[in-house]
Amino acid sequence: MKGDLISVDGRLMHWNDPTFEPENLLGKDFVYQKIHTLAHIPLHCDLHIEIAEISYSTLYGHSAGLNKNDLKAEIKRLLGANRYPSGSNLITLYLLPPGKPDMSPTRLLICEKQLLYKGYTFWHKALDVIATPYEYPFQPHKTSVSLTVHNYAASYARIKSADAALQQTYQGIINGLGENPLFAINRDGAYTTPLERGIPESVERRLGITACESAGLR
């Protein structure tokens, strides 16, 4: 990733550009979305923008000012400049609030990795998981805080010889598999933690619910 170009408010820059310090910025506050692409086109772009805008406006009191056409063009340009293949790739959008209120956030796009599958799919193998008790501030939103604690829990799970960590609240509620939503299937029913419990909305959660409904599951 650090060898790639990054996009800052639509401008392509090198990761180690002396005029910009993404590593320092990513140690501060931000709202983020991880976006799957296919043929360099972001999938479910409208929903990603909707979720990011709700989180940003809730936390900082005003719109992030995201524009779908601009975002799609910036993602396509960034993937092309970094010579990523036209299959599936993962891009992360970071919205970094400015130092002064009512100013637009810094919009940072980073190429994360190539994906093995096209679009979205169910994970292809069973995982050994460990229930890990933890909670954090601003839990209904994907933020720098949530990303940090999920990464810590994932590392802890690996130390314990597990593949992943289930986030369990101190009341015993399972919220998800790290930053990903969790679905439990039982005969004709599907179960997932409701948004009212404080879990973040996500594209994956919406797709999971649609898949369950299409399969005739309650």
Side-chain angles (χ1 to χ4, degrees), residues 68-88:
K68 181 175 72 171
N69 291 333
D70 290 344
L71 184 60
K72 291 173 70 174
E74 289 168 13
I75 288 174
K76 185 174 183 178
R77 184 183 178 209
L78 179 62
L79 287 168
N82 285 319
R83 299 185 179 181
Y84 273 63
S86 61
S88 284

Side-chain angles (χ1 to χ4, degrees), residues 185-191 216-218:
I185 308 299
N186 181 16
R187 295 185 180 178
D188 61 345
Y191 302 84
L217 298 170
R218 293 183 293 107

Side-chain angles (χ1 to χ4, degrees), residues 160-180:
K160 292 292 186 176
S161 301
D163 296 312
L166 293 175
Q167 191 228 334
Q168 183 180 33
T169 70
Y170 297 128
Q171 290 75 41
I173 298 169
I174 298 295
N175 275 354
L177 189 73
E179 62 183 335
N180 299 304

Side-chain angles (χ1 to χ4, degrees), residues 3-210:
D4 287 341
L5 294 167
I6 60 176
S7 177
V8 184
D9 292 331
R11 295 177 293 118
L12 294 180
M13 303 177 68
H14 289 282
W15 181 271
N16 57 356
D17 191 304
T19 64
F20 187 74
E21 299 178 336
E23 287 184 317
N24 290 339
L25 284 178
L26 293 179
K28 300 178 181 178
D29 294 352
F30 57 77
V31 169
Y32 76 95
Q33 287 285 294
K34 291 189 175 181
I35 302 174
H36 290 225
T37 69
L38 187 60
H40 292 187
I41 298 172
L43 303 177
H44 306 286
C45 192
D46 286 329
L47 184 51
H48 278 295
I49 288 175
E50 174 190 331
I51 294 170
E53 284 283 7
I54 289 172
S55 289
Y56 193 87
S57 61
T58 299
L59 294 173
Y60 301 107
H62 60 92
S63 169
L66 293 174
N67 178 280
K68 181 175 72 171
N69 291 333
D70 290 344
L71 184 60
K72 291 173 70 174
E74 289 168 13
I75 288 174
K76 185 174 183 178
R77 184 183 178 209
L78 179 62
L79 287 168
N82 285 319
R83 299 185 179 181
Y84 273 63
S86 61
S88 284
N89 299 291
L90 185 66
I91 290 276
T92 301
L93 165 67
Y94 299 91
L95 299 174
L96 301 112
K100 297 180 180 179
D102 300 327
M103 292 178 62
S104 297
T106 298
R107 190 174 62 258
L108 173 62
L109 289 167
I110 293 178
C111 297
E112 293 287 347
K113 60 183 177 181
Q114 299 177 35
L115 300 174
L116 298 176
Y117 48 85
K118 292 183 178 181
Y120 292 84
T121 186
F122 288 113
W123 191 238
H124 57 276
K125 69 173 185 176
L127 299 176
D128 291 324
V129 300
I130 182 173
T132 310
Y134 64 95
E135 297 178 7
Y136 50 91
F138 313 117
Q139 195 157 276
H141 309 285
K142 291 192 172 185
T143 67
S144 53
V145 175
S146 66
L147 188 60
T148 298
V149 295
H150 290 323
N151 287 340
Y152 183 95
S155 297
Y156 176 82
R158 288 191 291 270
I159 291 172
K160 292 292 186 176
S161 301
D163 296 312
L166 293 175
Q167 191 228 334
Q168 183 180 33
T169 70
Y170 297 128
Q171 290 75 41
I173 298 169
I174 298 295
N175 275 354
L177 189 73
E179 62 183 335
N180 299 304
L182 190 68
F183 290 84
I185 308 299
N186 181 16
R187 295 185 180 178
D188 61 345
Y191 302 84
T192 191
T193 311
L195 295 176
E196 290 76 15
R197 291 289 188 176
I199 68 167
E201 181 63 286
S202 67
V203 168
E204 291 83 358
R205 184 178 183 277
R206 294 272 188 97
L207 292 177
I209 290 173
T210 299

